């Protein structure tokens, strides 16, 4: 039985005051400036910290900046967590899940596909000989496609993440010349489906009906079910993109869902909302 969980708070209602419509320049909304010559400048005042790659430092995670394009000053920061002995006393390495929110959920999904493609185990994907990935936890995964879905049409004036803002994000993110039906954006394209046929993961997909991307997320959960994966999905009433990290009450509801998902090992797919 499908049960719709309605979670509406004053915090969510306040989303409407955050103030953007399709009439607003998406570059301005994202705080990105397009420069002559095709380079970009971030206009947000995000804090910056130096990389710490010295293994002698008493820190749990080492970081290093790897240059991608020196002339454009483009680099990627690599994070290398150290193996903490205390984790072995509190964590079950045979029951691990890759987790991400929004674009992070998209990344987690594609990372899992790559690992699965190199693994011979269907029910659990082995990593580094000691960790077994049992499945995925994807909060409001950032997927899309060329064709507008009903939720994008309904929420064309969304104050948090209007569809035309998503279009720009994809234009900046996808390979040059690719459209929004590229496999990084649309999970029904590319080789992902063939890989899904070989795994038996458990997957949690959560979201809300106030997110313009929700119909893409529901379609993604449906795809996983069609491939025979064990899927738990919940899509709450109201909310917005990022609600599960913006509002304490919704965070707590998500944590409860997450805890229940990890603690249970139901063999059948279920859907809430």
């Amino acid at each position: 039985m499908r049960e719709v969980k309605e979670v509406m708070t004053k915090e969510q209602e306040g989303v409407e005051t955050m103030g953007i419509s399709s009439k607003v320049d998406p570059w301005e909304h994202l705080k990105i400036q397009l420069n002559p010559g095709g380079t970009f400048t971030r206009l947000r005042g995000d804090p910056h910290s130096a990389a710490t790659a010295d293994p002698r430092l008493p820190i749990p995670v080492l970081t290093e900046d790897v240059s991608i394009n020196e002339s454009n000053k483009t680099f990627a920061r690599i994070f290398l967590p150290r193996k903490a002995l205390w984790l072995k006393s509190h964590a079950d390495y045979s029951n691990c899940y890759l987790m991400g929110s929004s674009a992070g959920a998209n990344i987690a999904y594609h990372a899992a596909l790559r690992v699965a493609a190199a693994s011979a185990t269907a029910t659990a994907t082995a990593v580094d000989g000691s960790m077994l990935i049992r499945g995925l936890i994807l909060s409001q995964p950032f997927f899309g496609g060329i064709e507008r879905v009903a939720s994008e049409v309904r929420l064309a004036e969304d104050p948090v993440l209007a569809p035309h803002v998503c279009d720009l994000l994809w234009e900046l993110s996808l390979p040059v010349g690719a459209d929004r039906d590229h496999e990084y954006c649309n999970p029904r394209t590319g080789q992902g489906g063939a890989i899904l046929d070989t795994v038996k993961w458990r997957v949690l997909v959560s979201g809300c009906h106030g997110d313009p991307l929700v119909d893409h997320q529901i379609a993604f959960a449906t795809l996983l079910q069609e491939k025979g994966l064990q899927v738990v999905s919940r899509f709450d009433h109201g909310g917005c993109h990022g609600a599960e990290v913006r509002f304490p009450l919704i965070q707590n509801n998500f944590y409860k869902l997450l805890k229940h998902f990890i603690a249970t090992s139901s063999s059948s797919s279920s859907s809430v909302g």
Side-chain angles (χ1 to χ4, degrees), residues 194-221:
I195 298 174
L196 291 176
D197 287 331
T198 68
V199 297
K200 301 296 181 183
W201 296 328
R202 297 182 67 237
V203 184
L204 170 63
V205 183
S206 65
C208 62
H209 289 282
D211 182 355
L213 302 180
V214 67
D215 283 353
H216 288 299
Q217 297 158 5
I218 293 173
F220 172 69

Side-chain angles (χ1 to χ4, degrees), residues 109 113 116-117 187-199 223 227:
Y109 170 67
L113 290 180
R188 285 192 176 272
T189 63
Q191 300 300 313
I195 298 174
L196 291 176
D197 287 331
T198 68
V199 297
L223 169 65
K227 294 296 183 178

